Structures are given as structure tokens and as C-alpha cells.
Amino acid sequence: MKKGKIVLVGAGFVGMSMAYSMLNRGGINELVLVDIDENKIKGEEMDLSHGLPYAPQKMIIKAGNYSDCKDAQIVVITAGIAQKPGQTRLELAEVNTKIMKQITESIMASGFDGIIIVASNPVDLMTHVVSEVSGLPKSRVIGSGTVLDTARLRYLIADYLKVSSKNVHAYIMGEHGDSSFVPWNHAYIGCKKVVDIMKDNKHPMEDLNKIHEGVVNAAYEIIEKKRATYYGIGMALNRLVRAILDNENSILTVSTYLKDGQYGQNDIYIGVPAIINSKGVRELIELDLNEDEQAKLNHSCGLIKEMREQSIDKIIKG
């Protein structure tokens, strides 16, 4: 395994936003681009490489194929189709499950034995698919989960309370989608609870619900205005990759595997805070949720399990 070697599967807007942020930030030794459109990845290789003289460090960037996964430390999957008008969520999931299955089989055929990060939607379901098909330990298959949602939440809280987003410690949990929620009792500015700051400053508590609504509606609003959202998730994926490469033991809200009654669930990938290091998910952080929050998490998990039972698990088994 080559330390610092990343293979990116999917050279669309999300994947290339991640690649560009890696070029700017550094910390990556080698980046291999893999996509069904070989001509595009050759062009992307050239375009990114021309920025290397101004990058913070030397870096190998190349257009490759699945055989390059063999000695990679991390493979990031951003491939898949976007939801089309009139297409149901289940229909999208079924199409992307077939794509994820094929991609994962190609990755594993190379002899890959590192960590896979999944960013394809619906991300919690697709992480489950990659986990089942790859056969890798659950701790080494991670979905981007609610990492982007959490960044949006922190940005909006910081903007509302006029503090640095670096000092906002709050999390979006559950499914990456409309059924997500914020455990507000565990949200802090520095070392003080957000709910207490709201009370002390006589801010209306219902504004917290508006902030969460802003997170949920953000993607729809961006897509309406510019057709796609990719810079934020590109930065979020870069952050997750760095946490693994640098063995940070950082807390990120990834889509990770729950078992044995964690959060009252079993055998499901969902977005929860977890400690991330060079081995993937070191451990989950299990928060005490109130009755309403637990019901929301259960609802999120129920939606995912329903789609699995309807068709996703059958597609995985072929």
C-alpha cells in the first residue's frame, strides 16, 4: 500500500471539486483519476497538473484505471447518476446500486485492501452496497454521510450568532436528506450550549428550526440556481481523506455501520459522529438523544431499510 495514494472513481463536478481542493491544500502524494470517459480524465489530468508549479507540494496526478486501486490507501467513489425529474428516490437508488456494485467489484478485483469512501447518492444506501459487495471490514467502508450537512449547519449557526464557524460544535445526524435532524442539546459554541446562548441573548428558539430548515433546503436552492452542488462536498471529502491520511482521530459525522443496538439500531449505515483515523472508523460516539430525536433517527433508518428490503438487497445478491 502506498501511503498518500488516492484513487478517485468518478470525474464529475463532485469528484473534480475534491481533486482541485486536494491540489490546493496538499498532503496527497498521488491522485489517480478513474472514469468511464477516458478522454475526460486525460483532460482533467492535464488541467490539474498544469497547476502543480503553484501547488504547496509535489504531487503525482494521472488518468488511470481500476488496476491502480491495488496499492491505494484510499479509494473515493463519487460516480453515479443524479436524480432526474420525475424519478423516485427508489428508482435512483436501484440504478446507482447497479453502478456501485460494478465499480466495487472492479476495485476489489485489483487486490485493493485499503479504505473506501462513498459519496454517491443516496449515500447511506450506497455505502451499504459497497460494504456488502467489497467484503471489507465495516470500519473501512465509510460514507460521506452528513459531513456536508454538518458544515452547512455550522456555517448557518456561525452566521446567525456572529461567531467563527471553527468554534461551532454541532452535528447533523441521520440520513443525508430530508429526514436529518440536529441534536440541539449537544450543540455548542466553544464550551457553551447553543440553546443557552439563545436564551441568554433572547433569540427566538424557533430560529433553531429555521437554521435546520436552511440546511435541508440548501441543496435544493443551490441546484435551482446553478444546477448542481459540488464545492462544499468536494471540501468535505478532502477533509475526510485528510483525517484518514494524517491519522487525526477527528470526529466527523460520517455514514457508518451501526450494530448491536447502537442508537437502538442494528445492521445499517447512517450518519452519526464517529472518530476517524488511519484505520477508518475507530469508534462511534453514541450521544444521548431525547425522545423526538430518537424517533427522527428511527425514521431515517426505517426509510433506508425499506428501500433495502424492496429491491436493493436483491440487486446486491444478483
Side-chain angles (χ1 to χ4, degrees):
M1 182 186 296
K2 283 187 183 176
K3 183 168 172 52
K5 180 179 178 180
I6 311 298
V7 174
L8 168 63
V9 181
F13 284 125
V14 171
M16 296 319 301
S17 293
M18 182 196 81
Y20 183 63
S21 67
M22 286 178 170
L23 176 65
N24 278 280
R25 189 172 180 182
I28 311 297
N29 296 323
E30 184 175 352
L31 177 63
V32 182
L33 310 175
V34 177
D35 194 275
I36 195 167
D37 188 340
E38 294 181 5
N39 202 41
K40 185 179 191 301
I41 55 170
K42 189 61 185 174
E44 297 289 7
E45 173 201 310
M46 293 171 65
D47 201 5
L48 286 170
S49 296
H50 295 165
L52 281 169
Y54 303 124
Q57 70 167 78
K58 182 181 177 182
M59 180 175 167
I60 297 169
I61 302 170
K62 71 172 190 175
N65 54 49
Y66 287 108
S67 65
D68 290 291
C69 297
K70 182 177 182 179
D71 59 352
Q73 188 174 358
I74 303 170
V75 171
V76 181
I77 305 174
T78 63
I81 65 161
Q83 194 163 358
K84 297 173 182 175
Q87 186 179 42
T88 68
R89 204 156 166 274
L90 180 60
E91 288 168 343
L92 171 69
E94 288 172 345
V95 173
N96 278 343
T97 293
K98 292 170 186 173
I99 294 171
M100 286 304 111
K101 184 179 179 184
Q102 187 176 26
I103 287 171
T104 307
E105 287 170 347
S106 299
I107 292 168
M108 298 311 295
S110 73
F112 175 74
D113 193 33
I115 294 169
I116 299 180
I117 296 173
V118 184
S120 307
N121 281 319
V123 69
D124 303 288
L125 262 177
M126 294 306 104
T127 309
H128 164 74
V129 173
V130 172
S131 174
E132 290 296 302
V133 176
S134 70
L136 288 169
K138 304 292 186 187
S139 61
R140 288 202 269 132
V141 179
I142 307 168
S144 56
T146 54
V147 173
L148 173 59
D149 312 66
T150 292
R152 287 170 172 159
L153 175 69
R154 291 177 180 178
Y155 169 78
L156 292 174
I157 291 173
D159 185 57
Y160 181 90
L161 293 175
K162 304 303 178 214
V163 295
S164 168
S165 58
K166 303 286 187 190
N167 295 118
V168 179
H169 307 290
Y171 304 91
I172 292 275
M173 291 178 60
E175 182 195 23
H176 173 58
D178 296 349
S179 67
S180 69
F181 67 95
V182 184
W184 285 111
N185 200 43
H186 300 286
Y188 289 82
I189 304 296
C191 54
K192 187 165 182 173
K193 287 187 176 184
V194 169
V195 290
D196 290 339
I197 292 173
M198 294 292 284
K199 289 173 187 173
D200 290 350
N201 291 278
K202 296 183 171 54
H203 294 306
M205 295 303 285
E206 58 265 26
D207 283 357
L208 295 181
N209 293 329
K210 291 177 184 176
I211 288 172
H212 178 238
E213 286 171 14
V215 174
V216 172
N217 293 328
Y220 297 119
E221 191 173 342
I222 294 168
I223 289 167
E224 182 187 344
K225 288 176 169 28
K226 53 171 275 188
R227 297 189 178 182
T229 163
Y230 36 89
Y231 296 132
I233 184 60
M235 289 289 286
L237 289 171
N238 187 21
R239 177 71 192 89
L240 181 49
V241 167
R242 286 296 297 271
I244 295 168
L245 292 182
D246 295 345
N247 195 30
E248 288 183 3
N249 291 300
S250 289
I251 299 169
L252 295 165
T253 47
V254 294
S255 183
T256 190
Y257 189 67
L258 304 188
K259 60 178 182 177
D260 302 328
Q262 291 169 312
Y263 285 106
Q265 295 293 330
N266 193 44
D267 185 31
I268 190 166
Y269 273 89
I270 197 76
V272 298
I275 299 173
I276 308 297
N277 64 17
S278 60
K279 294 181 179 178
V281 175
R282 194 190 85 189
E283 63 183 273
L284 270 63
I285 295 178
E286 196 161 358
L287 303 177
D288 289 325
L289 302 181
N290 63 34
E291 197 173 311
D292 180 56
E293 292 161 353
Q294 185 64 53
K296 288 176 179 175
L297 182 64
N298 293 344
H299 176 62
S300 269
C301 293
L303 292 172
I304 294 166
K305 286 183 175 179
E306 186 180 343
M307 285 194 280
R308 275 174 49 180
E309 290 166 6
Q310 281 180 286
S311 58
I312 302 305
D313 285 338
K314 293 172 190 169
I315 295 171
I316 292 171
K317 292 170 183 173

